[in-house]
């Protein structure tokens, strides 16, 4: 709708315009009430929320803690000797293996922490 349409609707001349706007407002309010009733019917058909005794509980041994380990990639062998190429079904399921060195790598002193951090970078 344009500004001219709003001006014509807001003008006090004519009771027909006011009646039309009132009826449109009633239709919109009725549609909202209908939508809420439909939503309430849908919620009534849903299963009840679980009770407190149906909630999950911690295992007997306590909380399960995550395990962290350093992984190394499995290298795919190169075919420099002219042997046929390696097919996907010849690879095993894991793309990495447990690393020999389990010490976490740390940043070098004097290097930036991440790209765009404002540090001088690797020097």
């Amino acid at each position: 709708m344009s500004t001219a349409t709003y001006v014509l609707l807001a003008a006090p001349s004519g009771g027909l315009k006011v009646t039309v706007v009132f009826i449109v407002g009633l239709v919109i309010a009725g549609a909202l009430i209908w939508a809420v009733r439909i939503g309430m019917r849908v919620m009534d058909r849903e299963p009840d929320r679980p009770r407190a005794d149906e909630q999950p509980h911690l295992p007997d041994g306590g909380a399960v803690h995550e395990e962290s380990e350093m992984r190394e990639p499995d290298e795919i062998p190169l075919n420099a000797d002219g042997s046929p190429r390696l097919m996907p079904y010849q690879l095993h399921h894991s793309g990495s293996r447990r690393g020999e060195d389990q010490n976490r790598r740390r940043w070098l002193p004097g290097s930036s922490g991440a790209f765009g951090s404002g540090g001088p970078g690797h020097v």
Side-chain angles (χ1 to χ4, degrees):
M1 297 178 101
S2 66
T3 306
T5 308
Y6 287 124
V7 169
L8 289 176
L9 288 175
S13 63
L16 180 64
K17 293 177 188 174
V18 172
T19 307
V20 169
V21 170
F22 181 73
I23 291 173
V24 169
L26 283 178
V27 169
I28 291 173
L32 290 173
I33 291 171
W34 175 77
V36 168
R37 289 187 57 144
I38 294 293
M40 290 171 64
R41 281 190 213 144
V42 168
M43 285 181 65
D44 287 342
R45 284 185 271 162
E46 291 177 352
D48 292 334
R49 293 188 177 116
R51 296 185 313 267
D53 60 332
E54 296 174 339
Q55 297 291 331
H57 300 288
L58 283 175
D60 294 334
V64 179
H65 299 285
E66 70 179 45
E67 206 172 288
S68 178
E69 66 179 5
M70 301 302 292
R71 307 286 294 176
E72 292 179 356
D74 279 342
E75 299 295 329
I76 298 177
L78 299 175
N79 290 340
D81 60 347
S83 63
R85 65 183 181 166
L86 199 60
M87 301 304 285
Y89 58 84
Q90 294 171 322
L91 298 174
H92 58 313
H93 67 283
S94 176
S96 64
R97 57 182 155 69
R98 189 172 196 275
E100 305 263 337
D101 181 20
Q102 288 297 311
N103 294 327
R104 226 174 121 198
R105 292 188 207 115
R106 300 288 181 186
W107 291 107
L108 297 173
S111 68
S112 66
F115 177 77
S117 66
H122 290 285
V123 270

